[in-house]
Amino acid sequence: MAQLGFPDTMFALSSGRLPSGVAVIRLSGVAVRFVIETIAGELPKPRMAAYRPFRSRTGEILDQGLLLFFPGPHSFTGEDCAEFHLHGGVAVVDRFLQELSGFDNCRMAEPGEFTRRAFANGKMDLTIAEGLADLVSAETEGQRRLALQVASGAQRDLYTGWRKELIQARALIEAELDFADEADVPGSVSAKVWQAMELLSGQVARHLAEGQRASVFRDGLHVAIVGAPNAGKSSLLNALAGRDVAIISEEAGTTRDLIEVKLDLSGIPVFLTDTAGLRETEGQVEKIGIERARARAASADLVLLLEDMSRPEPVEQPHSGGEIWRVGNKRDLAVSVPGEKWDFVISVRSGEGVDELIAAITRFAGEKAGGIGDVVPTRRRHMDLLAETRREIDEAIRQENLPLELRAEHLRRASQFLGRITGDVDVEDILDVIFSQFCIGK
């Protein structure tokens, strides 16, 4: 079987940390068949597991387990591939990897190299590769669903369709320029091409807006807890996290730095940050903590402005680009409760109102994220290139006084930006960045 351009064979442990019940070692490359025949005898039937003893080149038994063979090009990488399923002991795996490294032109794989070879051999585009990376690193149900959608190829199909529309529009313009006298060439470019491009620009704009919402699934919702010293911020963080994360003390100024904890609320990653108490102080360390608290509040999606209901201490409302909820704490110690002053009334000590606050944060996160039923851009790289795509389309539509060939050049540039998302155009400069995010063996 002829291979597709890589002279060496790579291998890696693909099943995670040892020890484990089973360890899976993957190989891909030109020497896979020779390695199988040397270690395990004859080749097994393609894609069917065979139980075999595994021997070194000197005949020593290394282990026994399952062997699978995937002949190229019908494999993950497009090359001949194999999987050895061993017992997952550290010594067993180390000895097996040493044996593999003794074969000519066989070496350990770099992070993401299996997927990179699959991309190079035309088995997937960059969006699918990025979807696989996100799927491996997904920590919440929402992240898993979003990554699976991208890895399925739905995003690629959408961008490929848009690129075809741009190419067709350019073809019509060039036909009018070159063959205006021919009877079968459509005559009114402005009526057909530019109307279609306006529709396409609107589709890209809506897609970008959906991507802003979906970024919550990938990057998380950020919630900052701010307030005066001793308002109960650290206690609230511990209560929301369900464990002791922050130190609790009656001494004002205990929290000097940001303390962050990550929650999974209905499949959405939510980052809660406890901050230093807001007050006037001469201490340099505490001043730094307060500045960081204000900065975190300014960048947060949601600010919980916590106040001690038993001893109210006025605090200037922090500047924030997100929503601010006033939360009254220590309800169990308060003499009276002016309900109109606070959005939520709780007692961290007794637990009163805490479940309601968590439910409200969960609803807020869901509304912020929106649904992920449709295809959405999942990375900042996608968002930036899509914004450039729309800008070029809009330039072509808007500049009606430009010669047609210059307007067509804007459409060509738009199609190039789309091609960079999928990897069809000029992406060598970003390949190392993308595939370095994978784990070894993927």
Side-chain angles (χ1 to χ4, degrees), residues 245-262:
V245 178
I247 298 173
I248 301 172
S249 171
E250 294 297 326
E251 181 183 347
T254 302
T255 302
R256 300 295 183 89
D257 206 348
L258 305 178
I259 301 174
E260 187 174 80
V261 63
K262 182 179 180 181

Side-chain angles (χ1 to χ4, degrees), residues 215-343:
S215 66
V216 174
F217 285 100
R218 178 175 174 83
D219 303 325
L221 182 85
H222 292 269
V223 180
I225 306 173
V226 301
N230 282 338
K233 298 183 298 299
S234 297
S235 297
L236 178 59
L237 179 75
N238 291 343
L240 295 175
R243 63 184 190 278
D244 289 340
V245 178
I247 298 173
I248 301 172
S249 171
E250 294 297 326
E251 181 183 347
T254 302
T255 302
R256 300 295 183 89
D257 206 348
L258 305 178
I259 301 174
E260 187 174 80
V261 63
K262 182 179 180 181
L263 304 181
D264 179 353
L265 299 181
S266 296
I268 299 172
V270 175
F271 296 91
L272 296 171
T273 305
D274 178 22
T275 65
L278 304 179
R279 66 171 178 173
E280 296 297 326
T281 180
E282 296 300 321
Q284 290 301 312
V285 174
E286 191 175 355
K287 277 185 177 180
I288 294 172
I290 291 171
E291 287 304 312
R292 289 181 178 179
R294 295 189 186 281
R296 180 56 58 94
S299 64
D301 300 294
L302 174 64
V303 174
L304 303 181
L305 182 55
L306 200 65
E307 300 177 67
D308 183 347
M309 299 174 64
S310 64
R311 291 182 299 176
E313 186 174 338
V315 172
E316 181 182 352
Q317 182 166 299
H319 171 73
S320 178
E323 286 197 24
I324 298 177
W325 294 353
R326 302 187 77 92
V327 181
N329 186 29
K330 303 185 182 181
R331 169 68 183 86
D332 52 319
L333 301 179
V335 177
S336 61
V337 183
E340 69 280 359
K341 184 175 180 180
W342 294 290
D343 299 302

Side-chain angles (χ1 to χ4, degrees), residues 2 14 143 170 176 201 237 308 328 358 361 418:
S14 296
Q143 289 175 331
R170 287 172 51 211
E176 178 163 299
S201 176
L237 179 75
D308 183 347
I358 293 175
I361 296 172
L418 277 178

Side-chain angles (χ1 to χ4, degrees), residues 123-198:
K123 304 297 290 186
M124 64 179 67
D125 76 329
L126 276 187
T127 60
I128 294 177
E130 289 170 322
L132 289 174
D134 292 341
L135 195 59
V136 170
S137 61
E139 296 181 342
T140 69
E141 174 62 13
Q143 289 175 331
R144 182 196 68 81
R145 289 164 52 206
L146 192 63
L148 194 61
Q149 183 186 79
V150 178
S152 71
Q155 197 178 56
R156 173 203 60 198
D157 294 343
L158 178 65
Y159 299 156
T160 300
W162 285 349
R163 195 159 178 246
K164 286 180 179 178
E165 287 187 47
L166 287 165
I167 292 171
Q168 183 179 17
R170 287 172 51 211
L172 286 171
I173 292 172
E174 291 168 7
E176 178 163 299
L177 289 170
D178 296 339
F179 307 106
D181 296 334
E182 299 292 332
D184 58 347
V185 175
S188 178
V189 169
S190 59
K192 296 186 180 210
V193 171
W194 305 123
Q195 183 178 8
M197 291 300 96
E198 285 180 1

